[in-house]
mmCIF file of all heavy atoms in Angstrom:
data_model
loop_
_atom_site.group_PDB
_atom_site.id
_atom_site.type_symbol
_atom_site.label_atom_id
_atom_site.label_comp_id
_atom_site.label_asym_id
_atom_site.label_seq_id
_atom_site.Cartn_x
_atom_site.Cartn_y
_atom_site.Cartn_z
ATOM 1 N N THR S 785 12.793 98.048 135.861
ATOM 2 C CA THR S 785 13.738 98.940 135.185
ATOM 3 C C THR S 785 14.797 99.437 136.159
ATOM 4 O O THR S 785 15.987 99.473 135.845
ATOM 5 C CB THR S 785 13.002 100.140 134.557
ATOM 6 O OG1 THR S 785 12.141 99.667 133.515
ATOM 7 C CG2 THR S 785 13.987 101.146 133.975
ATOM 8 N N GLU S 786 14.374 99.828 137.367
ATOM 9 C CA GLU S 786 15.342 100.288 138.367
ATOM 10 C C GLU S 786 16.363 99.207 138.676
ATOM 11 O O GLU S 786 17.572 99.456 138.702
ATOM 12 C CB GLU S 786 14.640 100.712 139.654
ATOM 13 C CG GLU S 786 15.647 101.074 140.746
ATOM 14 C CD GLU S 786 15.039 101.696 141.977
ATOM 15 O OE1 GLU S 786 13.952 101.275 142.375
ATOM 16 O OE2 GLU S 786 15.670 102.613 142.531
ATOM 17 N N VAL S 787 15.887 97.990 138.903
ATOM 18 C CA VAL S 787 16.789 96.879 139.224
ATOM 19 C C VAL S 787 17.768 96.648 138.084
ATOM 20 O O VAL S 787 18.984 96.502 138.299
ATOM 21 C CB VAL S 787 15.978 95.602 139.523
ATOM 22 C CG1 VAL S 787 16.911 94.400 139.646
ATOM 23 C CG2 VAL S 787 15.174 95.771 140.800
ATOM 24 N N ASN S 788 17.277 96.610 136.859
ATOM 25 C CA ASN S 788 18.132 96.332 135.700
ATOM 26 C C ASN S 788 19.166 97.432 135.473
ATOM 27 O O ASN S 788 20.332 97.154 135.138
ATOM 28 C CB ASN S 788 17.274 96.152 134.447
ATOM 29 C CG ASN S 788 16.432 94.888 134.494
ATOM 30 O OD1 ASN S 788 16.802 93.909 135.156
ATOM 31 N ND2 ASN S 788 15.292 94.892 133.826
ATOM 32 N N LEU S 789 18.757 98.686 135.656
ATOM 33 C CA LEU S 789 19.700 99.788 135.477
ATOM 34 C C LEU S 789 20.775 99.774 136.563
ATOM 35 O O LEU S 789 21.959 100.004 136.277
ATOM 36 C CB LEU S 789 18.956 101.125 135.485
ATOM 37 C CG LEU S 789 18.111 101.432 134.248
ATOM 38 C CD1 LEU S 789 17.311 102.719 134.445
ATOM 39 C CD2 LEU S 789 18.989 101.543 132.996
ATOM 40 N N LEU S 790 20.389 99.489 137.791
ATOM 41 C CA LEU S 790 21.371 99.423 138.877
ATOM 42 C C LEU S 790 22.372 98.300 138.633
ATOM 43 O O LEU S 790 23.562 98.437 138.933
ATOM 44 C CB LEU S 790 20.667 99.228 140.218
ATOM 45 C CG LEU S 790 19.991 100.463 140.804
ATOM 46 C CD1 LEU S 790 19.224 100.108 142.069
ATOM 47 C CD2 LEU S 790 21.012 101.551 141.113
ATOM 48 N N LYS S 791 21.904 97.187 138.092
ATOM 49 C CA LYS S 791 22.818 96.085 137.771
ATOM 50 C C LYS S 791 23.826 96.510 136.701
ATOM 51 O O LYS S 791 25.022 96.217 136.798
ATOM 52 C CB LYS S 791 22.026 94.868 137.291
ATOM 53 C CG LYS S 791 21.271 94.138 138.398
ATOM 54 C CD LYS S 791 20.515 92.952 137.835
ATOM 55 C CE LYS S 791 19.799 92.185 138.936
ATOM 56 N NZ LYS S 791 19.033 91.026 138.385
ATOM 57 N N LYS S 792 23.348 97.216 135.677
ATOM 58 C CA LYS S 792 24.227 97.655 134.601
ATOM 59 C C LYS S 792 25.217 98.722 135.067
ATOM 60 O O LYS S 792 26.312 98.846 134.511
ATOM 61 C CB LYS S 792 23.398 98.185 133.434
ATOM 62 C CG LYS S 792 22.603 97.110 132.706
ATOM 63 C CD LYS S 792 21.753 97.707 131.591
ATOM 64 C CE LYS S 792 20.953 96.619 130.875
ATOM 65 N NZ LYS S 792 20.100 97.179 129.791
ATOM 66 N N LEU S 793 24.820 99.501 136.076
ATOM 67 C CA LEU S 793 25.665 100.588 136.576
ATOM 68 C C LEU S 793 26.375 100.201 137.875
ATOM 69 O O LEU S 793 26.853 101.058 138.611
ATOM 70 C CB LEU S 793 24.807 101.832 136.828
ATOM 71 C CG LEU S 793 24.175 102.463 135.574
ATOM 72 C CD1 LEU S 793 23.086 103.453 135.976
ATOM 73 C CD2 LEU S 793 25.235 103.149 134.728
ATOM 74 N N GLN S 794 26.480 98.902 138.123
ATOM 75 C CA GLN S 794 26.973 98.416 139.406
ATOM 76 C C GLN S 794 28.398 98.882 139.721
ATOM 77 O O GLN S 794 28.761 99.082 140.872
ATOM 78 C CB GLN S 794 26.914 96.885 139.439
ATOM 79 C CG GLN S 794 27.202 96.290 140.804
ATOM 80 C CD GLN S 794 26.827 94.822 140.863
ATOM 81 O OE1 GLN S 794 26.444 94.224 139.869
ATOM 82 N NE2 GLN S 794 26.928 94.223 142.034
ATOM 83 N N ASN S 795 29.219 99.050 138.702
ATOM 84 C CA ASN S 795 30.609 99.455 138.920
ATOM 85 C C ASN S 795 30.822 100.948 138.726
ATOM 86 O O ASN S 795 31.961 101.405 138.582
ATOM 87 C CB ASN S 795 31.527 98.663 137.985
ATOM 88 C CG ASN S 795 31.489 97.170 138.264
ATOM 89 O OD1 ASN S 795 31.490 96.752 139.418
ATOM 90 N ND2 ASN S 795 31.434 96.362 137.211
ATOM 91 N N ASN S 796 29.721 101.700 138.738
ATOM 92 C CA ASN S 796 29.787 103.144 138.535
ATOM 93 C C ASN S 796 29.980 103.854 139.876
ATOM 94 O O ASN S 796 29.256 103.601 140.831
ATOM 95 C CB ASN S 796 28.488 103.611 137.862
ATOM 96 C CG ASN S 796 28.546 105.040 137.412
ATOM 97 O OD1 ASN S 796 28.628 105.938 138.227
ATOM 98 N ND2 ASN S 796 28.486 105.270 136.113
ATOM 99 N N ASN S 797 30.951 104.739 139.945
ATOM 100 C CA ASN S 797 31.256 105.439 141.198
ATOM 101 C C ASN S 797 30.258 106.538 141.537
ATOM 102 O O ASN S 797 30.294 107.085 142.644
ATOM 103 C CB ASN S 797 32.654 106.054 141.127
ATOM 104 C CG ASN S 797 33.742 105.006 141.133
ATOM 105 O OD1 ASN S 797 33.598 103.951 141.752
ATOM 106 N ND2 ASN S 797 34.834 105.269 140.434
ATOM 107 N N TYR S 798 29.384 106.893 140.586
ATOM 108 C CA TYR S 798 28.480 108.021 140.775
ATOM 109 C C TYR S 798 27.034 107.589 141.006
ATOM 110 O O TYR S 798 26.129 108.409 141.035
ATOM 111 C CB TYR S 798 28.563 108.954 139.564
ATOM 112 C CG TYR S 798 29.982 109.265 139.175
ATOM 113 C CD1 TYR S 798 30.557 108.730 138.031
ATOM 114 C CD2 TYR S 798 30.782 110.074 139.992
ATOM 115 C CE1 TYR S 798 31.872 109.001 137.691
ATOM 116 C CE2 TYR S 798 32.101 110.344 139.660
ATOM 117 C CZ TYR S 798 32.638 109.798 138.508
ATOM 118 O OH TYR S 798 33.945 110.058 138.181
ATOM 119 N N VAL S 799 26.838 106.277 141.175
ATOM 120 C CA VAL S 799 25.506 105.694 141.375
ATOM 121 C C VAL S 799 25.584 104.747 142.565
ATOM 122 O O VAL S 799 26.611 104.104 142.798
ATOM 123 C CB VAL S 799 25.068 104.916 140.105
ATOM 124 C CG1 VAL S 799 23.762 104.175 140.343
ATOM 125 C CG2 VAL S 799 24.934 105.868 138.920
ATOM 126 N N VAL S 800 24.516 104.660 143.353
ATOM 127 C CA VAL S 800 24.502 103.717 144.469
ATOM 128 C C VAL S 800 24.747 102.303 143.942
ATOM 129 O O VAL S 800 24.213 101.920 142.913
ATOM 130 C CB VAL S 800 23.172 103.774 145.261
ATOM 131 C CG1 VAL S 800 23.041 105.078 146.019
ATOM 132 C CG2 VAL S 800 21.975 103.564 144.354
ATOM 133 N N LYS S 801 25.564 101.540 144.651
ATOM 134 C CA LYS S 801 25.980 100.220 144.182
ATOM 135 C C LYS S 801 24.960 99.155 144.562
ATOM 136 O O LYS S 801 24.611 98.964 145.725
ATOM 137 C CB LYS S 801 27.348 99.877 144.758
ATOM 138 C CG LYS S 801 27.974 98.614 144.153
ATOM 139 C CD LYS S 801 29.370 98.392 144.682
ATOM 140 C CE LYS S 801 30.322 99.470 144.249
ATOM 141 N NZ LYS S 801 30.532 99.482 142.790
ATOM 142 N N PHE S 802 24.475 98.439 143.563
ATOM 143 C CA PHE S 802 23.473 97.386 143.737
ATOM 144 C C PHE S 802 24.075 96.158 144.421
ATOM 145 O O PHE S 802 25.204 95.768 144.151
ATOM 146 C CB PHE S 802 22.909 97.005 142.372
ATOM 147 C CG PHE S 802 21.978 95.819 142.388
ATOM 148 C CD1 PHE S 802 20.637 95.982 142.714
ATOM 149 C CD2 PHE S 802 22.439 94.551 142.077
ATOM 150 C CE1 PHE S 802 19.772 94.896 142.725
ATOM 151 C CE2 PHE S 802 21.579 93.465 142.082
ATOM 152 C CZ PHE S 802 20.246 93.638 142.409
ATOM 153 N N ALA S 803 23.279 95.537 145.330
ATOM 154 C CA ALA S 803 23.696 94.296 145.974
ATOM 155 C C ALA S 803 22.756 93.143 145.594
ATOM 156 O O ALA S 803 23.180 92.152 145.019
ATOM 157 C CB ALA S 803 23.758 94.463 147.487
ATOM 158 N N GLU S 804 21.470 93.278 145.902
ATOM 159 C CA GLU S 804 20.498 92.239 145.558
ATOM 160 C C GLU S 804 19.081 92.784 145.710
ATOM 161 O O GLU S 804 18.874 93.880 146.237
ATOM 162 C CB GLU S 804 20.683 90.997 146.428
ATOM 163 C CG GLU S 804 20.620 91.257 147.922
ATOM 164 C CD GLU S 804 20.861 89.998 148.734
ATOM 165 O OE1 GLU S 804 20.175 88.988 148.478
ATOM 166 O OE2 GLU S 804 21.724 90.008 149.628
ATOM 167 N N HIS S 805 18.104 91.996 145.238
ATOM 168 C CA HIS S 805 16.711 92.411 145.382
ATOM 169 C C HIS S 805 15.827 91.184 145.510
ATOM 170 O O HIS S 805 16.235 90.064 145.187
ATOM 171 C CB HIS S 805 16.264 93.258 144.189
ATOM 172 C CG HIS S 805 15.926 92.451 142.973
ATOM 173 N ND1 HIS S 805 16.886 91.819 142.197
ATOM 174 C CD2 HIS S 805 14.732 92.163 142.389
ATOM 175 C CE1 HIS S 805 16.314 91.183 141.200
ATOM 176 N NE2 HIS S 805 15.002 91.371 141.281
ATOM 177 N N LYS S 806 14.611 91.413 145.970
ATOM 178 C CA LYS S 806 13.663 90.326 146.138
ATOM 179 C C LYS S 806 12.244 90.852 146.099
ATOM 180 O O LYS S 806 11.905 91.819 146.796
ATOM 181 C CB LYS S 806 13.896 89.619 147.482
ATOM 182 C CG LYS S 806 12.936 88.481 147.778
ATOM 183 C CD LYS S 806 13.183 87.272 146.899
ATOM 184 C CE LYS S 806 12.270 86.109 147.265
ATOM 185 N NZ LYS S 806 12.519 84.917 146.425
ATOM 186 N N TYR S 807 11.396 90.240 145.256
ATOM 187 C CA TYR S 807 9.959 90.484 145.313
ATOM 188 C C TYR S 807 9.357 89.471 146.291
ATOM 189 O O TYR S 807 9.653 88.274 146.216
ATOM 190 C CB TYR S 807 9.313 90.294 143.943
ATOM 191 C CG TYR S 807 9.545 91.427 142.982
ATOM 192 C CD1 TYR S 807 10.477 91.312 141.953
ATOM 193 C CD2 TYR S 807 8.819 92.613 143.086
ATOM 194 C CE1 TYR S 807 10.683 92.351 141.058
ATOM 195 C CE2 TYR S 807 9.019 93.650 142.208
ATOM 196 C CZ TYR S 807 9.943 93.516 141.189
ATOM 197 O OH TYR S 807 10.148 94.545 140.308
ATOM 198 N N TYR S 808 8.543 89.956 147.218
ATOM 199 C CA TYR S 808 7.884 89.051 148.157
ATOM 200 C C TYR S 808 6.490 89.581 148.445
ATOM 201 O O TYR S 808 6.345 90.692 148.969
ATOM 202 C CB TYR S 808 8.685 88.914 149.458
ATOM 203 C CG TYR S 808 8.054 87.967 150.452
ATOM 204 C CD1 TYR S 808 8.185 86.587 150.300
ATOM 205 C CD2 TYR S 808 7.312 88.455 151.533
ATOM 206 C CE1 TYR S 808 7.595 85.714 151.197
ATOM 207 C CE2 TYR S 808 6.725 87.581 152.440
ATOM 208 C CZ TYR S 808 6.867 86.204 152.263
ATOM 209 O OH TYR S 808 6.281 85.344 153.151
ATOM 210 N N GLN S 809 5.488 88.800 148.082
ATOM 211 C CA GLN S 809 4.092 89.194 148.261
ATOM 212 C C GLN S 809 3.869 90.577 147.654
ATOM 213 O O GLN S 809 3.991 90.751 146.460
ATOM 214 C CB GLN S 809 3.727 89.125 149.750
ATOM 215 C CG GLN S 809 3.760 87.716 150.308
ATOM 216 C CD GLN S 809 3.382 87.617 151.759
ATOM 217 O OE1 GLN S 809 3.266 88.611 152.471
ATOM 218 N NE2 GLN S 809 3.191 86.404 152.244
ATOM 219 N N ASN S 810 3.578 91.594 148.453
ATOM 220 C CA ASN S 810 3.255 92.919 147.915
ATOM 221 C C ASN S 810 4.377 93.934 148.130
ATOM 222 O O ASN S 810 4.117 95.140 148.218
ATOM 223 C CB ASN S 810 1.961 93.443 148.543
ATOM 224 C CG ASN S 810 0.757 92.640 148.093
ATOM 225 O OD1 ASN S 810 0.574 92.406 146.897
ATOM 226 N ND2 ASN S 810 -0.061 92.209 149.033
ATOM 227 N N THR S 811 5.621 93.447 148.200
ATOM 228 C CA THR S 811 6.739 94.362 148.394
ATOM 229 C C THR S 811 7.904 94.028 147.468
ATOM 230 O O THR S 811 8.069 92.890 147.033
ATOM 231 C CB THR S 811 7.268 94.326 149.844
ATOM 232 O OG1 THR S 811 7.781 93.011 150.122
ATOM 233 C CG2 THR S 811 6.187 94.674 150.843
ATOM 234 N N LEU S 812 8.694 95.060 147.173
ATOM 235 C CA LEU S 812 10.002 94.877 146.553
ATOM 236 C C LEU S 812 11.034 95.332 147.570
ATOM 237 O O LEU S 812 10.927 96.432 148.127
ATOM 238 C CB LEU S 812 10.141 95.722 145.285
ATOM 239 C CG LEU S 812 11.588 95.910 144.778
ATOM 240 C CD1 LEU S 812 12.172 94.585 144.302
ATOM 241 C CD2 LEU S 812 11.646 96.941 143.653
ATOM 242 N N THR S 813 12.017 94.496 147.820
ATOM 243 C CA THR S 813 13.115 94.856 148.706
ATOM 244 C C THR S 813 14.379 94.966 147.863
ATOM 245 O O THR S 813 14.756 94.022 147.170
ATOM 246 C CB THR S 813 13.308 93.797 149.807
ATOM 247 O OG1 THR S 813 12.092 93.655 150.536
ATOM 248 C CG2 THR S 813 14.411 94.213 150.757
ATOM 249 N N LEU S 814 15.014 96.135 147.913
ATOM 250 C CA LEU S 814 16.185 96.430 147.091
ATOM 251 C C LEU S 814 17.345 96.813 148.008
ATOM 252 O O LEU S 814 17.225 97.730 148.820
ATOM 253 C CB LEU S 814 15.865 97.575 146.132
ATOM 254 C CG LEU S 814 16.953 98.014 145.163
ATOM 255 C CD1 LEU S 814 17.280 96.896 144.176
ATOM 256 C CD2 LEU S 814 16.504 99.249 144.400
ATOM 257 N N VAL S 815 18.447 96.094 147.894
ATOM 258 C CA VAL S 815 19.602 96.294 148.772
ATOM 259 C C VAL S 815 20.746 96.930 147.988
ATOM 260 O O VAL S 815 21.118 96.447 146.917
ATOM 261 C CB VAL S 815 20.076 94.954 149.378
ATOM 262 C CG1 VAL S 815 21.257 95.175 150.330
ATOM 263 C CG2 VAL S 815 18.937 94.252 150.103
ATOM 264 N N THR S 816 21.294 98.026 148.518
ATOM 265 C CA THR S 816 22.428 98.707 147.901
ATOM 266 C C THR S 816 23.447 99.071 148.985
ATOM 267 O O THR S 816 23.176 98.960 150.178
ATOM 268 C CB THR S 816 22.001 99.998 147.181
ATOM 269 O OG1 THR S 816 21.487 100.935 148.155
ATOM 270 C CG2 THR S 816 20.940 99.729 146.125
ATOM 271 N N ASP S 817 24.621 99.519 148.545
ATOM 272 C CA ASP S 817 25.591 100.059 149.495
ATOM 273 C C ASP S 817 24.975 101.224 150.256
ATOM 274 O O ASP S 817 24.159 101.975 149.708
ATOM 275 C CB ASP S 817 26.836 100.557 148.748
ATOM 276 C CG ASP S 817 27.896 99.475 148.626
ATOM 277 O OD1 ASP S 817 27.641 98.343 149.068
ATOM 278 O OD2 ASP S 817 28.983 99.762 148.087
ATOM 279 N N ILE S 818 25.392 101.381 151.493
ATOM 280 C CA ILE S 818 24.847 102.466 152.310
ATOM 281 C C ILE S 818 25.610 103.760 152.047
ATOM 282 O O ILE S 818 26.812 103.741 151.748
ATOM 283 C CB ILE S 818 24.898 102.110 153.809
ATOM 284 C CG1 ILE S 818 23.983 103.036 154.607
ATOM 285 C CG2 ILE S 818 26.336 102.142 154.344
ATOM 286 C CD1 ILE S 818 23.695 102.546 156.008
ATOM 287 N N CYS S 819 24.906 104.867 152.085
ATOM 288 C CA CYS S 819 25.518 106.193 152.022
ATOM 289 C C CYS S 819 25.367 106.809 153.415
ATOM 290 O O CYS S 819 24.265 106.849 153.958
ATOM 291 C CB CYS S 819 24.850 107.059 150.962
ATOM 292 S SG CYS S 819 25.161 106.468 149.279
ATOM 293 N N ASN S 820 26.466 107.285 153.984
ATOM 294 C CA ASN S 820 26.503 107.624 155.402
ATOM 295 C C ASN S 820 26.278 109.093 155.726
ATOM 296 O O ASN S 820 26.451 109.511 156.868
ATOM 297 C CB ASN S 820 27.840 107.172 156.008
ATOM 298 C CG ASN S 820 29.039 107.853 155.354
ATOM 299 O OD1 ASN S 820 28.898 108.846 154.637
ATOM 300 N ND2 ASN S 820 30.226 107.313 155.586
ATOM 301 N N HIS S 821 25.898 109.896 154.705
ATOM 302 C CA HIS S 821 25.807 111.346 154.962
ATOM 303 C C HIS S 821 24.479 111.937 154.495
ATOM 304 O O HIS S 821 24.403 113.101 154.099
ATOM 305 C CB HIS S 821 26.977 112.053 154.273
ATOM 306 C CG HIS S 821 27.432 113.295 154.985
ATOM 307 N ND1 HIS S 821 28.037 113.285 156.221
ATOM 308 C CD2 HIS S 821 27.353 114.605 154.635
ATOM 309 C CE1 HIS S 821 28.340 114.525 156.587
ATOM 310 N NE2 HIS S 821 27.912 115.346 155.656
#
């Protein structure tokens, strides 16, 4: 659900911007734009 919502809100200025994700063994890795503060 998190991945799908981030994809739908990808162009939203008020939400972290989604880049990509990957399930591997027992982990989910989710990549977004960095927030510097």
Side-chain angles (χ1 to χ4, degrees):
T785 295
E786 175 171 38
V787 171
N788 292 333
L789 288 174
L790 284 175
K791 287 180 178 179
K792 291 178 180 179
L793 295 166
Q794 189 167 5
N795 297 318
N796 189 294
N797 291 327
Y798 312 108
V799 174
V800 291
K801 189 175 294 295
F802 173 83
E804 56 182 308
H805 79 288
K806 179 71 176 181
Y807 284 103
Y808 181 79
Q809 294 181 349
N810 292 311
T811 63
L812 164 67
T813 303
L814 181 65
V815 182
T816 64
D817 269 3
I818 196 165
C819 292
N820 61 14
H821 211 67

